[in-house]
Amino acid sequence: MHRKIKIALLATSSLAAVAAIGTYWAFSSSLPKLSDSVNSPQVSAKVTLERDRLGTAIISADNRQDAAYGLGYAHGQDRFFQMDLLRRNAAGELAEIFGEKALELDKRRRFHQLRKRANTIAATLPPQHLALLNSYAQGVNDAVASQKVTSFEYLVTGATPKPWVVADSLLVIFSMYLDLQGNTIKRDLALTQVENLFGADMRQFLTQASHYQAALDSSLIPLSDADIPALDPILLSRAVARDITEPVEVGSNNWAVTPALTANGKAMLSDDMHLSFAVPIIWYRAQLNYQQQQQSVQLTGVSLPGAPAIVVGSNGRVAWGFTNAYIDTADWIAIDAQTPIYIENETIALADSEVNYEIEISPYGPVKQLGEQKYALAWVAHQPYAVDMNLLELDAISTVEEGIELASTMGIPVQNMLLVDDSGNAAWKPAGAFPSRTNPSDVALVPIDFQPVNWQQANQQLPSVVNPEQGRLWSGNSRVVSTKDHQRLGDGGYALGARSVQIRDRLFEAESFAVDDFYQLQLDNQARFLQAWQTLLLSQLERQPQLYAKDIELIKDWQACACADSVGYTLVRYFRSQLIDNTFAPLETELSKTAISLGPIKRSLEPAMWQLIEQQPASWLASRHKTWADFMLTSYRESRDKLLANYSERGELTDLTWGKVNQLNIQHPFSKQIPMLSGLLDMPTVTGFGDSYMPAVQGRSFGASQRFIVQAGDEQNAIMTVPGGQSGHPLSEFYRAGFDEYATQQSTPLLPGEVIYQLQILPSVNSSAE
């Protein structure tokens, strides 16, 4: 019997070993060949695709169309599954891979019908852009077809890769619309419901101007001196404690200075785009080298897999970067029974079945019901001018003036674009699609106020600033435009402004900057915004100094920064959030009954919160609290207890270091569902550094998706640091390349290093590209 058991165990072990070997072989066989020679009828001359130690794709070609093919080939080798998810995310086609658990997300995406819009736009593209997208798609598909074994993601999911088509590149841009402007849509609907339930006075109270304002012209929106609206006691009595989830502040920092303020006399640009993190990271390092009108073009930066453009980078004469502009790009219209509505059916595919999804369509846009009221959405992403490929024209610009002119024609989510050129010029302008309507609104319009003709026309008269007298430009997702322009451009969910103010103030604290100075500013985690909150919390705790002796000691020693070893920072930061949640719980409770939250406007509650703290109105204080001081201490204890429950098995305050609480954890989508894969797929966890409301933005899975600093004409000394590797394949040497430098606040160069792999793509004898 024992012998039989041993034989069975040995057999089982052998089978497991064989299975493991087979799995490893399949995974390793799905790695792309990086040194090879292939033939393609889609290129007109030899294209080389080289890679350095970071995996940077260095593409050399005779012309832009062949370069697009080469970039498509690189993206197809390293990132096809990521590209597939981006197009499916925009189109609402994720359930086909992930099943019913993705169905509700697909329905929310189908509401916008972006696949149909992408197909329509693709048919109207200029011939030169269509040709580039076709070449790019052919490069992608040829790279995927060259794999003997499909990439590991498809091995795991059992799905089959579908060919890349032109419209898919447009869907990738639409996916960025969903990320960058999704909160704009939610914000207006939330404010509409606030006004419906609590009145216009309450809505205005919650959205009053902050003293954190950093417009480029120094203009200020007047601070409110309005009375605090009284709360109905019934609202207080039925309030339920709940977290008001603040939306991820998708955005960026960028700034620039003119030559008078740099050590070497060249204009300098900094850009770090803030996005949610996943494995692989969204950006892909690339350099394109080709000829255009007998001139050599070299374009270096980061690309977005799925599109043939360099999104942020430099062409040696001009460098550019973006931050999300957050001007108002959406309106809801409250429709009535007389509004004509028809139904469109969307078929959502599952792996082995399909689901029909009905969308109500009005003359203003798709319709959503909230309680008894229906609202139609007019959003710039629904317009034919929302997406194009004019971003490709950045390749050839030679001055910031040309970049500013181009900015008004770009079909991308509207961005604050900063540019510097090798002549020493620096400029800012909103770049991207924006409607010509003149009456932006924080709440739903009535049909008579809707401007259909203006919505159908792109606004190409957006403001700009070139070579400002003070020599400095900056943006950080708060209002950049003047108060006059603000009236016609509106508020699409601006950041509070504390980060922009800190950047602006840092720029005015010095008269000369080098590249490293800009990098240190990107890493600035000083907690200037929370200083007032630290003072407030100490004043409350010191009412009972013996009871809170340890708390007081840690909060006094908080270092005034989002530093890894600071416990005081953690306590102050979570106290603020808890006090806001508790204060506005009566409103949140009522809104939740219609599936609406204050979350989209939580960052705007700061001025209202301080007004309540200073005036301490009795109508906002629940009967269980004797005073506001009691209420604030209760909120502190609640926040502290939650932290201890989540981050300390010993119940010790010293365990609550910010580096632990805000630990950076960049995960692969698969490991979130299958934790046992975490060690193979995820980036190493890193002690937290930075936070919101300061230049060094970092959350647990959010932060600067790249750090870029450049002086046009001096790219040799430029920086491009990315928090993840080039390849999406966990067995690739480029899967984590560059992550360590990012995680330890070091930098990596913009320009590629020594070539270690070369793939040649040669034209077939019967090349159709000739």
Side-chain angles (χ1 to χ4, degrees):
M1 179 65 70
H2 290 300
R3 186 169 179 273
K4 290 181 178 180
I5 292 174
K6 282 185 178 180
I7 293 172
L9 288 173
L10 285 171
T12 302
S13 298
S14 298
L15 288 172
V18 170
I21 292 169
T23 301
Y24 182 83
W25 177 86
F27 272 37
S28 60
S29 296
S30 65
L31 280 165
K33 288 186 177 181
L34 304 183
S35 289
D36 202 359
S37 181
V38 299
N39 295 90
S40 172
Q42 309 302 336
V43 296
S44 61
K46 181 176 76 171
V47 175
T48 61
L49 168 54
E50 299 171 318
R51 289 176 171 89
D52 68 357
R53 74 169 184 89
L54 293 173
T56 308
I58 310 158
I59 294 142
S60 300
D62 278 7
N63 55 69
R64 185 61 173 95
Q65 192 163 332
D66 283 356
Y69 178 93
L71 184 59
Y73 203 97
H75 286 167
Q77 283 191 313
D78 290 333
R79 297 288 192 91
F80 184 76
F81 187 72
Q82 176 197 4
M83 295 161 57
D84 196 3
L85 293 188
L86 283 173
R87 65 176 171 180
R88 288 177 179 275
N89 175 60
E93 297 169 354
L94 290 167
E96 190 172 9
I97 292 181
F98 299 109
E100 290 190 3
K101 60 188 175 184
L103 191 56
E104 289 307 310
L105 176 59
D106 275 358
K107 288 179 179 179
R108 294 197 297 272
R109 298 304 194 230
R110 289 294 178 102
F111 180 77
H112 303 291
Q113 298 183 294
L114 297 179
R115 169 69 75 180
K116 288 182 180 179
R117 300 182 197 282
N119 288 337
T120 299
I121 293 171
T124 65
L125 288 172
Q128 68 273 22
H129 290 172
L130 185 60
L132 285 173
L133 287 177
N134 269 313
S135 290
Y136 174 82
Q138 289 161 348
V140 171
N141 293 330
D142 286 353
V144 174
S146 72
Q147 298 297 107
K148 293 181 180 179
V149 177
T150 189
S151 69
F152 93 96
E153 299 97 337
Y154 292 102
L155 292 174
V156 171
T157 61
T160 302
K162 290 186 175 181
W164 197 260
V165 298
V166 166
D168 292 335
S169 291
L170 305 182
L171 280 169
V172 166
I173 301 175
F174 275 127
S175 193
M176 296 304 294
Y177 267 100
L178 293 166
D179 282 349
L180 296 174
Q181 295 184 6
N183 195 59
T184 298
I185 297 169
K186 295 176 184 176
R187 175 184 183 271
D188 283 8
L189 208 54
L191 289 174
T192 296
Q193 195 68 348
V194 165
E195 185 161 304
N196 288 343
L197 293 176
F198 313 114
D201 288 348
M202 182 66 78
R203 191 259 301 173
Q204 292 164 5
F205 172 64
L206 299 184
T207 57
Q208 60 188 292
S210 162
H211 68 273
Y212 292 107
Q213 299 186 46
L216 290 176
D217 70 341
S218 300
S219 62
L220 298 175
I221 297 173
L223 302 184
S224 173
D225 57 358
D227 292 335
I228 298 172
L231 268 190
D232 188 326
I234 295 176
L235 295 181
L236 279 172
S237 66
R238 61 191 184 199
V240 178
R242 61 181 71 233
D243 292 339
I244 303 173
T245 303
E246 187 169 353
V248 172
E249 195 168 280
V250 176
S252 314
N253 299 325
N254 62 18
W255 58 85
V257 296
T258 52
L261 295 174
T262 63
N264 64 358
K266 293 179 179 291
M268 185 157 55
L269 167 72
S270 173
D271 186 86
D272 53 291
M273 297 182 284
H274 308 151
L275 295 167
S276 295
F277 287 161
V279 180
I281 211 69
I282 190 168
W283 306 115
Y284 184 90
R285 304 172 71 112
Q287 182 183 81
L288 306 183
N289 299 275
Y290 64 93
Q291 299 292 313
Q292 182 168 293
Q293 297 179 347
Q294 299 182 331
Q295 297 290 321
S296 295
V297 176
Q298 184 177 87
L299 193 63
T300 313
V302 290
S303 59
L304 176 61
I310 298 297
V311 177
V312 165
S314 175
N315 64 15
R317 294 165 294 177
V318 183
W320 59 90
F322 297 108
T323 73
N324 202 23
Y326 279 111
I327 52 180
D328 192 359
T329 56
D331 284 326
W332 289 94
I333 299 91
I335 60 176
D336 54 29
Q338 283 68 51
T339 304
I341 289 177
Y342 65 95
I343 302 296
E344 288 201 6
N345 292 292
E346 291 277 327
T347 301
I348 301 176
L350 294 158
D352 52 5
S353 61
E354 59 185 36
V355 173
N356 183 61
Y357 176 56
E358 292 186 347
I359 306 172
E360 291 185 315
I361 305 293
S362 75
Y364 314 103
V367 175
K368 178 183 180 70
Q369 184 145 351
L370 194 61
E372 299 299 317
Q373 177 65 55
K374 289 186 175 182
Y375 298 94
L377 176 63
W379 182 27
V380 70
H382 296 164
Q383 306 304 318
Y385 56 82
V387 171
D388 60 31
M389 293 309 300
N390 282 351
L391 188 68
L392 292 165
E393 302 303 320
L394 286 171
D395 288 23
I397 62 173
S398 57
T399 65
V400 298
E401 287 82 4
E402 291 177 8
I404 285 174
E405 184 176 351
L406 178 63
S408 298
T409 71
M410 290 182 188
I412 59 174
V414 65
Q415 303 286 295
N416 290 308
M417 183 178 188
L418 286 190
L419 310 97
V420 296
D421 65 27
D422 59 0
S423 296
N425 300 298
W428 159 84
K429 185 180 177 66
F434 190 76
S436 293
R437 63 95 155 83
T438 59
N439 61 340
S441 177
D442 287 342
V443 295
L445 301 169
V446 294
I448 195 171
D449 291 332
F450 183 68
Q451 299 176 348
V453 175
N454 291 354
W455 264 99
Q456 294 164 14
Q457 297 173 352
N459 188 333
Q460 297 188 350
Q461 303 301 317
L462 298 178
S464 63
V465 177
V466 180
N467 295 332
E469 184 177 351
Q470 78 274 20
R472 300 164 175 86
L473 293 164
W474 60 89
S475 75
N477 310 123
S478 61
R479 178 178 62 88
V480 178
V481 302
S482 68
T483 52
K484 181 179 179 181
D485 285 325
H486 177 66
Q487 297 301 312
R488 67 186 180 92
L489 302 180
D491 183 346
Y494 282 133
L496 177 63
R499 178 160 42 91
S500 297
V501 166
Q502 191 160 329
I503 291 168
R504 178 201 64 192
D505 292 350
R506 289 293 200 192
L507 290 174
F508 279 96
E509 288 171 5
E511 293 299 324
S512 181
F513 299 92
V515 169
D516 187 61
D517 297 320
F518 268 28
Y519 202 63
Q520 294 308 309
L521 179 47
Q522 288 188 356
L523 299 174
D524 177 16
N525 66 347
Q526 187 176 18
R528 295 186 177 188
F529 167 72
L530 282 182
Q531 184 66 62
W533 285 97
Q534 188 252 9
T535 301
L536 173 68
L537 181 54
L538 277 177
S539 71
Q540 301 306 310
L541 297 178
E542 287 172 345
R543 294 171 182 268
Q544 301 180 48
Q546 292 182 329
L547 180 61
Y548 295 109
K550 186 61 176 178
D551 309 67
I552 291 169
E553 177 188 348
L554 291 167
I555 292 166
K556 282 184 174 180
D557 191 34
W558 75 316
Q559 303 176 58
C561 63
C563 296
D565 59 348
S566 177
V567 174
Y569 182 87
T570 305
L571 297 175
V572 172
R573 202 260 198 195
Y574 275 78
F575 162 67
R576 172 187 175 270
S577 186
Q578 188 68 54
L579 183 61
I580 291 174
D581 289 352
N582 288 352
T583 301
F584 295 101
L587 307 185
E588 182 73 1
T589 299
E590 294 304 305
L591 288 168
S592 67
K593 295 174 182 177
T594 55
I596 295 292
S597 171
L598 288 172
I601 65 165
K602 186 174 182 179
R603 58 177 172 250
S604 301
L605 299 177
E606 181 80 4
M609 186 70 252
W610 276 105
Q611 192 174 349
L612 290 165
I613 291 169
E614 290 162 2
Q615 297 185 27
Q616 302 190 1
S619 75
W620 282 70
L621 192 64
S623 59
R624 65 182 178 277
H625 301 295
K626 296 178 181 178
T627 64
W628 269 80
D630 175 47
F631 175 51
M632 287 189 276
L633 282 175
T634 299
S635 295
Y636 170 69
R637 288 194 299 272
E638 288 176 359
S639 67
R640 184 190 61 182
D641 292 348
K642 287 179 183 177
L643 285 165
L644 289 170
N646 290 327
Y647 300 104
S648 176
E649 294 180 359
R650 307 179 304 154
E652 292 289 339
L653 287 176
T654 51
D655 289 340
L656 304 180
T657 59
W658 184 242
K660 178 180 180 180
V661 171
N662 196 41
Q663 188 177 64
L664 181 63
N665 185 19
I666 307 179
Q667 294 183 274
H668 192 282
F670 288 0
S671 75
K672 293 180 181 180
Q673 304 299 321
I674 313 172
M676 63 181 296
L677 296 177
S678 179
L680 173 67
L681 298 179
D682 296 346
M683 294 295 122
T685 54
V686 176
T687 299
F689 176 89
D691 191 16
S692 305
Y693 305 115
M694 58 184 60
V697 170
Q698 190 228 295
R700 291 182 62 83
S701 59
F702 179 81
S705 60
Q706 43 71 250
R707 296 179 181 138
F708 175 48
I709 301 169
V710 65
Q711 295 175 289
D714 187 26
E715 285 73 19
Q716 188 64 42
N717 294 306
I719 288 172
M720 179 65 82
T721 309
V722 180
Q726 288 280 92
S727 174
H729 198 300
L731 299 184
S732 168
E733 65 192 277
F734 302 129
Y735 188 70
R736 294 182 173 88
F739 176 79
D740 287 345
E741 289 92 334
Y742 177 94
T744 55
Q745 291 87 54
Q746 300 178 61
S747 63
T748 52
L750 168 69
L751 293 183
E754 181 181 352
V755 169
I756 59 175
Y757 293 103
Q758 184 185 82
L759 185 146
Q760 293 187 357
I761 304 167
L762 304 174
S764 300
V765 175
N766 61 340
S767 173
S768 63
E770 292 179 351

